[in-house]
Amino acid sequence: MSADIIPLRKRATEPSLAPILALTADGMNAVNAVILDRMQSRIPLIPTLAGHLIAGGGKRMRPMLTLAGAALCDYHGTRHHKLAAAVEFIHTATLLHDDVVDGSELRRGKSTANIVFGNPATVLVGDFLFTRSFELMVEDGSLKVLKILSNASSVISEGEVDQLTAQRQIETSEERYLSIIGSKTAALFAAATRIAAVVAERSEADERALEDYGRNLGIAFQLVDDAMDYDSDAGEMGKGKGDDFREGKMTLPVILAYARGSDEERRFWQDAIQGHRSSDADLAHAISLIARHDTVSATRERARHFAQRAIDAIAGFPAGAAHAAMVEAAEFAVARRF
Amino acid sequence: MSADIIPLRKRATEPSLAPILALTADGMNAVNAVILDRMQSRIPLIPTLAGHLIAGGGKRMRPMLTLAGAALCDYHGTRHHKLAAAVEFIHTATLLHDDVVDGSELRRGKSTANIVFGNPATVLVGDFLFTRSFELMVEDGSLKVLKILSNASSVISEGEVDQLTAQRQIETSEERYLSIIGSKTAALFAAATRIAAVVAERSEADERALEDYGRNLGIAFQLVDDAMDYDSDAGEMGKGKGDDFREGKMTLPVILAYARGSDEERRFWQDAIQGHRSSDADLAHAISLIARHDTVSATRERARHFAQRAIDAIAGFPAGAAHAAMVEAAEFAVARRF
């Protein structure tokens, strides 16, 4: 039986993560226990620093997707708990290194680990979590899972380097931007959902379907993240608002505002992205230009496209709580304001 | 047939790496080809930055040990070439992150990658090489090898954090120092040699013997590295001489000089390790105190002990070119002046 395709935004209420949170609540307790257990070390600084970020919250979208994918595949074992924790460790390691690379000061409304513990410790504990994630995968023992996650890790770090190379480059195109977020963000979403099908011993086609769901969802999430950094309507994000602007990151709201802008506006963007205009007034001006050309909305529209692709990718799976929760998660990715 | 145990330093000439270099020359060509091939990426900065360090030379001791171990086990396949490259990638990733953590400016007589390319790119390319090493291991497909190398990677990053925690701590004991170098250096030497026995499908006892050889050799190498940073007789090292002193690293020459020193000398060391005495004159004074208490020699004596343990660990293997080369490599570890 094939699920109905639920078109985006036809709900009476705003889409939320509540269904996927409910679906995965028990499993996430098990995953969180693995995370807490495996971030321990005989070196006290390691759990202290890792715990600073891990206790700081975050939606834990990636391990939740592994669990939701497993539910969609009607998997009733427990192997995916360790693997979901491994996925979260890869993500956590990436966040720690990102904050060092960007010199960030805030994440999820808290001081970043690099500010509290310094760059050296943050780099090294990131390395530790990364190695710990591989230990968890090796314990599981599936070479297929190891291949998917080691490849995703490699693609993520390529994407991170690519993003660094594009920084302060005003000529960055939408295509290059999509390639960067496809690597740095969507590759781990894709791997996280795909491994659920592997653990459940489903067909290659089902693996691909879950991977496609995850990849498109990841792109949608990143697009909306990047939109919110310039959205005058959005609530305060956990990260410092305007960080992307000050760091000269070429995200889609800027790429489109530059493309659609007048000559004078383009000169402003050139100066700003090169780092010559980073005051609060400059940020306010940037937000006003983005509002003028409606590029936050345009970015959200792009996200809607990828979210719909995510939903269609799993259309072949049976209707039910897991399917409905994954559809609504994709709708949430587009509609969210935080 | 059991090999004769060759006692250290009974050679007519100084021990050298020439025998192990000759033993592994063909294999190292294959390994170097894998390294060059697998450090490529669609992101040009990755091979440029990785190549800066990799082309910078270095002895490539770790992959060479995998090859020598395979020769000792009479292995004639090619699986170990990819695995030796994976080992070198782990090491290279560690060096890149070390240089960021230490703020080093010189390695092997060249400007470090962090100086040439900046910290952000250096952190991220380190991550890339680390993920690439796992891809190589997964391609090989041995869960046993994956377990050994993922565990070693985890131990290394614990050791790096531990070293950071001990930095500028004058009370660091010899025991703690040995624990740190056992993790940050010797764990990878141990894993590199052990996997040779795994690939050759030798007994668990042979695996352990090679692992013990590698671990003890790694400790000897690190001890002598740390001795040379204060050795007034040693030639210029590739790394900046006096780096350990200025970074407040508690290495054995300092630990022993502090232990053996007068009250006045101890006050000097306390100030110096805390970073209050880092001029060239202070370094010269530190070297004179170390010479007074002969702690470079004492450190080399400790290294001799571990090198002998390395040699004895492989005493059960047949005599021949591989065995002789590995014995001489251990002797070289102690006697080397560069």
Side-chain angles (χ1 to χ4, degrees):
Chain A
M1 173 189 145
S2 200
D4 293 332
I5 297 175
I6 303 163
L8 281 166
R9 288 267 199 164
K10 291 282 166 82
R11 294 181 186 281
T13 56
E14 284 287 294
S16 86
L17 288 180
I20 203 169
L21 286 164
L23 177 76
T24 60
D26 289 347
M28 284 303 293
N29 283 338
V31 173
N32 288 333
V34 177
I35 288 173
L36 284 174
D37 180 48
R38 302 308 286 272
M39 72 185 212
Q40 299 308 315
S41 160
R42 62 183 180 82
I43 314 299
L45 178 57
I46 290 177
T48 303
L49 193 153
H52 175 81
L53 176 56
I54 288 170
K59 290 182 282 291
R60 306 226 170 140
M61 276 306 295
R62 295 155 190 81
M64 211 188 293
L65 288 172
T66 304
L67 301 193
L72 188 67
C73 292
D74 206 26
Y75 172 72
H76 294 285
T78 56
R79 275 178 61 197
H80 58 328
H81 296 155
K82 259 190 193 171
L83 294 175
V87 164
E88 186 66 4
F89 277 161
I90 293 173
H91 176 56
T92 308
T94 308
L95 291 185
L96 290 173
H97 287 185
D98 273 356
D99 285 341
V100 169
V101 164
D102 294 339
S104 309
E105 297 181 1
L106 282 178
R107 177 174 293 280
R108 301 169 187 159
K110 276 180 68 174
S111 289
T112 50
N114 46 309
I115 296 298
V116 179
F117 302 96
N119 283 340
T122 305
V123 169
L124 297 176
V125 174
D127 289 350
F128 172 80
L129 292 177
F130 195 65
T131 62
R132 209 21 83 86
S133 88
F134 270 92
E135 287 192 299
L136 280 163
M137 294 176 221
V138 171
E139 281 174 30
D140 174 69
S142 159
L143 280 167
K144 202 164 179 183
V145 168
L146 274 159
K147 186 168 182 184
I148 291 165
L149 285 174
S150 66
N151 180 252
S153 302
S154 184
V155 168
I156 291 165
S157 56
E158 276 186 316
E160 296 278 353
V161 179
D162 201 13
Q163 173 174 262
L164 191 69
T165 314
Q167 207 168 355
R168 306 211 177 280
Q169 302 294 318
I170 191 73
E171 298 298 344
T172 305
S173 67
E174 177 167 355
E175 299 312 309
R176 176 141 186 229
Y177 165 80
L178 286 173
S179 161
I180 289 170
I181 69 173
S183 299
K184 75 160 188 159
T185 306
L188 191 55
F189 275 73
T193 40
R194 180 170 189 162
I195 60 173
V198 175
V199 168
E201 299 181 352
R202 302 294 288 246
S203 67
E204 176 83 10
D206 284 354
E207 279 184 37
R208 292 279 175 201
L210 279 178
E211 180 181 31
D212 291 344
Y213 170 86
R215 181 182 308 103
N216 284 296
L217 181 67
I219 295 171
F221 252 95
Q222 188 63 57
L223 279 162
V224 173
D225 253 3
D226 292 345
M228 286 194 295
D229 214 48
Y230 290 98
D231 190 350
S232 41
D233 293 338
E236 261 322 298
M237 285 190 70
K239 72 173 178 170
K241 193 147 187 167
D243 276 0
D244 288 349
F245 178 73
R246 292 195 185 85
E247 289 162 13
K249 287 215 175 122
M250 287 301 291
T251 59
L252 194 57
V254 172
I255 291 168
L256 294 177
Y258 181 71
R260 296 174 181 182
S262 67
D263 286 353
E264 189 190 333
E265 289 172 17
R266 286 179 160 227
R267 279 191 294 276
F268 167 81
W269 285 117
Q270 285 160 2
D271 287 354
I273 290 301
Q274 279 170 33
H276 307 313
R277 288 179 169 276
S278 56
S279 70
D280 287 351
D282 292 322
L283 174 61
H285 185 58
I287 290 174
S288 78
L289 294 182
I290 278 170
R292 177 179 304 166
H293 295 291
D294 225 10
T295 66
V296 162
S297 299
T299 300
R300 283 190 185 270
E301 279 305 315
R302 301 290 207 277
R304 181 182 311 280
H305 160 89
F306 288 103
Q308 186 64 59
R309 280 167 65 173
I311 290 169
D312 288 335
I314 56 167
F317 285 85
H323 186 269
M326 289 174 78
V327 167
E328 189 162 340
E331 294 170 334
F332 169 80
V334 180
R336 73 205 173 95
R337 302 272 157 196
F338 59 90
Chain B
M1 172 188 147
S2 200
D4 293 334
I5 298 177
I6 304 161
L8 281 165
R9 290 267 198 160
K10 291 282 167 80
R11 295 180 184 280
T13 56
E14 284 286 295
S16 86
L17 289 179
I20 202 168
L21 285 165
L23 177 75
T24 60
D26 289 345
M28 282 305 292
N29 283 337
V31 173
N32 288 332
V34 177
I35 288 173
L36 285 174
D37 180 47
R38 302 308 287 273
M39 71 185 212
Q40 299 308 315
S41 159
R42 63 185 179 83
I43 314 299
L45 178 57
I46 290 176
T48 303
L49 192 154
H52 176 82
L53 176 57
I54 288 170
K59 292 183 281 291
R60 305 225 169 142
M61 276 306 293
R62 294 156 191 81
M64 210 188 294
L65 287 172
T66 304
L67 301 192
L72 188 67
C73 292
D74 206 26
Y75 172 71
H76 293 285
T78 57
R79 274 178 61 197
H80 58 327
H81 296 154
K82 259 190 193 172
L83 294 175
V87 165
E88 185 67 5
F89 276 161
I90 293 173
H91 176 56
T92 308
T94 307
L95 292 185
L96 289 174
H97 287 185
D98 273 355
D99 285 341
V100 169
V101 164
D102 295 339
S104 309
E105 297 181 2
L106 281 178
R107 179 174 292 279
R108 299 167 189 159
K110 275 179 71 174
S111 289
T112 49
N114 47 309
I115 296 298
V116 178
F117 301 96
N119 283 340
T122 305
V123 169
L124 296 177
V125 174
D127 289 348
F128 173 80
L129 292 176
F130 195 64
T131 63
R132 209 22 82 87
S133 87
F134 270 92
E135 287 192 300
L136 281 163
M137 294 174 219
V138 172
E139 282 174 32
D140 175 68
S142 160
L143 280 167
K144 200 165 181 182
V145 168
L146 273 158
K147 186 168 184 184
I148 292 165
L149 286 173
S150 65
N151 180 253
S153 301
S154 185
V155 169
I156 291 166
S157 56
E158 276 186 317
E160 296 277 354
V161 178
D162 201 13
Q163 173 174 261
L164 190 68
T165 312
Q167 207 167 353
R168 305 211 177 281
Q169 301 295 318
I170 191 72
E171 298 298 344
T172 304
S173 66
E174 176 167 355
E175 300 312 310
R176 175 140 187 230
Y177 165 81
L178 286 173
S179 162
I180 289 170
I181 70 173
S183 298
K184 74 161 190 158
T185 306
L188 191 56
F189 274 75
T193 41
R194 180 169 190 163
I195 59 174
V198 175
V199 168
E201 299 179 353
R202 302 293 287 246
S203 68
E204 175 84 11
D206 283 355
E207 279 183 39
R208 293 276 174 203
L210 279 178
E211 181 181 29
D212 292 344
Y213 171 87
R215 180 181 309 100
N216 284 297
L217 181 67
I219 295 172
F221 252 95
Q222 187 63 56
L223 280 161
V224 173
D225 253 3
D226 291 345
M228 287 195 293
D229 213 50
Y230 291 97
D231 190 350
S232 43
D233 293 338
E236 258 325 295
M237 283 190 72
K239 72 173 177 168
K241 192 148 187 166
D243 276 0
D244 288 348
F245 178 73
R246 292 196 184 85
E247 290 162 14
K249 286 215 176 125
M250 288 300 291
T251 60
L252 195 56
V254 173
I255 291 168
L256 295 177
Y258 181 70
R260 297 174 182 182
S262 66
D263 287 350
E264 189 191 334
E265 289 172 16
R266 285 178 160 228
R267 278 191 294 277
F268 167 82
W269 285 116
Q270 284 160 1
D271 287 353
I273 289 302
Q274 280 169 34
H276 307 312
R277 289 180 168 276
S278 56
S279 71
D280 287 353
D282 292 323
L283 175 60
H285 184 57
I287 290 173
S288 78
L289 294 182
I290 278 170
R292 177 180 305 166
H293 296 290
D294 226 9
T295 66
V296 161
S297 301
T299 301
R300 283 190 183 271
E301 280 305 315
R302 301 289 205 279
R304 180 182 313 280
H305 160 88
F306 289 102
Q308 187 63 58
R309 279 166 65 172
I311 291 168
D312 289 335
I314 55 168
F317 285 85
H323 186 269
M326 289 175 77
V327 167
E328 189 162 341
E331 294 171 333
F332 169 81
V334 180
R336 74 205 174 96
R337 300 274 157 195
F338 59 90

